[in-house]
Amino acid sequence: MNASRIWNPWDDLIVPALLPPLCPCCQRALPSFQNNALAGQSESLVAPEASQGHLKAAMTVLKSLLPIPAQTDLCADCRRRLPFIKENYCLQCGARIEKGEEYCAECQETPHSFEEARALFSYSQEVSSMILAFKNKGERSTGEWLGREMGVAFRETIALWKITRVIPIPLLPSKKKERGYNQAEILASHIVKENGNLLLDTTSLIRIRKAKEQKTLGAKERLLNLLDVFAVQGSFSRAEHILLVDDVLTTGSTLDVCARLLLEAGAGAVYALVAARA
Ligand SMILES: [Zn+2]
Ligand SMILES: [Zn+2]
């Protein structure tokens, strides 16, 4: 069957066009697309050579009618299995904690500069793989899905916090150029889209230099290390409630420094949403 194949509209046009969106976690085709007749029967629908001309014309029409590729989403299995944080979280940093407690041990000891942060997931192996695929392997669709998921999951939280402006944690321009995008900006733009009239602000907070290695530093040293990494351009009114967006919250020092700078520039309060709480 594979001998010097001729142009085959099913394999060369229809199937790629209808290529089903995959679950960003397990990479399996989403069930609603698995039964798609066109996508599922490509092998048995090879057109005879004589009808190629007609098929080409038909395919051109069909292609123009095809919808925009469907958005990716979690399959039902992954949605059940992944560690969404919906309850029992630290009221400041969003980390999962024991039932009945209000704050995690770290936040009890050293409160953060931001009011509250919430995370969509705990940082499991699978969540980490998805975020790394998005950050380092160009899987933008995974980030777009994460942003939509965050936007929907935290709609009430965003309303409760009275957010007026959404600011993604910036990358150095050189880093953004190298990666092709700022992952936090993709998350933020989809959170904004899911929440009506929020303002997306990618210019007020900037990253002006590279941070020194953080791993060996304690909490206070991390803050000092980051203080001259970011800068705020302009000022805010006290009525501004700013939502910072980042992919992962580990120690919170990046969010702390950015929150501190935004508060110094006049903002009334700073909150944060992240995809995962490490
Ligand atoms: Zn899945
Ligand atoms: Zn905490």
Side-chain angles (χ1 to χ4, degrees), residues 90-157:
C90 169
L91 294 179
Q92 186 163 50
C93 75
R96 199 188 285 283
I97 50 173
E98 294 296 321
K99 198 175 177 179
E101 289 180 2
E102 290 191 319
Y103 295 96
C104 72
E106 289 156 36
C107 289
Q108 280 180 33
E109 199 164 306
T110 325
H112 292 281
S113 308
F114 51 86
E115 298 287 325
E116 281 178 53
R118 291 288 309 275
L120 187 65
F121 292 116
S122 290
Y123 200 65
S124 70
Q125 183 61 48
E126 287 176 308
V127 169
S128 137
S129 308
M130 283 196 291
I131 291 175
L132 288 177
F134 164 41
K135 261 169 93 163
N136 301 333
K137 294 180 192 164
E139 295 274 350
R140 276 180 82 125
S141 62
T142 296
E144 290 160 359
W145 160 74
L146 273 169
R148 287 196 301 275
E149 193 81 27
M150 289 164 76
V152 173
F154 297 118
R155 234 175 234 156
E156 281 178 26
T157 308

Side-chain angles (χ1 to χ4, degrees), residues 208-225:
I208 47 180
R209 58 177 65 85
K210 216 174 160 179
K212 283 170 244 148
E213 185 59 55
Q214 297 259 80
K215 281 181 185 143
T216 55
L217 303 180
K220 278 209 178 113
E221 292 158 310
R222 278 172 191 255
L223 276 182
L224 290 173
N225 186 25

Side-chain angles (χ1 to χ4, degrees), residues 189-207:
S189 69
H190 286 274
I191 291 171
V192 163
K193 271 188 204 162
E194 295 294 340
N195 287 275
N197 49 13
L198 286 178
L199 171 70
L200 178 65
D201 177 352
T202 57
T203 54
S204 295
L205 180 66
I206 54 171
R207 194 185 283 248

